[in-house]
Amino acid sequence: MSEKNSTQQVILEAVVTCIEKYGIDKVTTRKIAEEAGTNIASINYYFRSKDELVSAALSMTINHMMEDVSAAIEDAQQPLKEVLENVFFYLLEGSLRYPGVSTAHLYEAITEKKYDTISAQAIIKVFERLVERAARENPKSDATETRLLLSQILSSIMFTMLAPNFFSVPRKYQLTTPEHAKNLAAHYATLFLNAK
């Protein structure tokens, strides 16, 4: 990795850390520079604005998510139940580890109804790929029902990512530990398959 790419990577990782520490709406270039161990001039050299910098950091994290989730969805060796569990767990556990970044990815979609952002489009792509995988596994199932059911489950997962433990549920389904995230992912997968 070149020095330029290395410096950019350090800055992008500092953005992610700042989003976690302060929240997407309180991240400043000064805080990013402090976290990266650099100065504001260096940040401005690589990125034209704070918005461009935050967008680049969110693109980096959402692209990483898309690689992992796409691999899980396309794994022909795994039955649909395991695919669903793995994807749902990935989203839930990721929001448990990185709640600020998860919120940042959904921020514009929620607050401004902007569904054309890279993050919103990635979530939509995950949804479409899950719909396609479910249709391949169950070609005789009602496509409209499959789409509706998966949209309801993913909506529930996204709400849980944004407001964990908003509703009172049994402890084993509370988004407080990776084990509980796994329980919840398995439950959602079972709900989907039992409704089919």
Side-chain angles (χ1 to χ4, degrees):
M1 183 181 292
S2 72
E3 185 177 329
K4 176 183 176 185
N5 289 342
S6 175
T7 301
Q8 285 178 312
Q9 187 65 31
V10 167
I11 292 169
L12 290 172
E13 289 171 5
V15 174
V16 171
T17 301
C18 286
I19 290 171
E20 283 305 317
K21 281 185 178 179
Y22 309 111
I24 186 71
D25 54 339
K26 292 188 176 66
V27 171
T28 65
T29 307
R30 183 172 311 285
K31 289 175 182 174
I32 294 166
E34 288 172 11
E35 188 66 41
T38 190
N39 56 43
I40 293 174
S42 178
I43 290 175
N44 290 335
Y45 174 77
Y46 293 108
F47 302 94
R48 284 182 242 153
S49 68
K50 182 188 93 170
D51 289 344
E52 181 183 310
L53 175 56
V54 169
S55 178
L58 291 177
S59 293
M60 176 185 73
T61 59
I62 204 73
N63 287 335
H64 177 73
M65 183 275 294
M66 282 303 296
E67 288 172 13
D68 293 344
V69 168
S70 293
I73 293 171
E74 299 308 320
D75 185 350
Q77 303 302 313
Q78 299 297 318
L80 181 60
K81 183 177 192 315
E82 284 184 38
V83 168
L84 293 171
E85 286 179 13
N86 290 338
V87 171
F88 297 163
F89 174 72
Y90 187 94
L91 296 172
L92 290 163
E93 197 270 337
S95 73
L96 186 60
R97 282 192 299 143
Y98 302 105
V101 172
S102 296
T103 298
H105 281 298
L106 298 170
Y107 189 80
E108 288 182 295
I110 301 299
T111 61
E112 299 172 26
K113 308 296 186 252
K114 286 180 69 176
Y115 307 136
D116 62 346
T117 65
I118 189 168
S119 299
Q121 288 299 304
I123 296 293
I124 291 167
K125 196 174 286 185
V126 167
F127 167 71
E128 293 297 339
R129 287 183 177 170
L130 284 173
V131 169
E132 290 168 12
R133 175 68 192 258
R136 281 196 314 265
E137 298 266 333
N138 300 301
K140 294 182 182 177
S141 65
D142 182 327
T144 302
E145 280 297 310
T146 297
R147 179 172 287 279
L148 182 58
L149 189 53
L150 276 172
S151 75
Q152 290 170 331
I153 290 171
L154 281 176
S155 294
S156 181
I157 287 170
M158 289 184 350
F159 184 79
T160 300
M161 292 166 61
L162 293 169
N165 310 314
F166 183 84
F167 297 111
S168 177
V169 297
R171 183 165 174 73
K172 72 178 189 174
Y173 298 121
Q174 292 174 4
L175 193 57
T176 54
T177 68
E179 180 184 342
H180 292 174
K182 191 169 275 305
N183 292 340
L184 190 53
H187 182 72
Y188 281 133
T190 301
L191 278 175
F192 175 79
L193 294 171
N194 286 346
K196 299 303 293 157

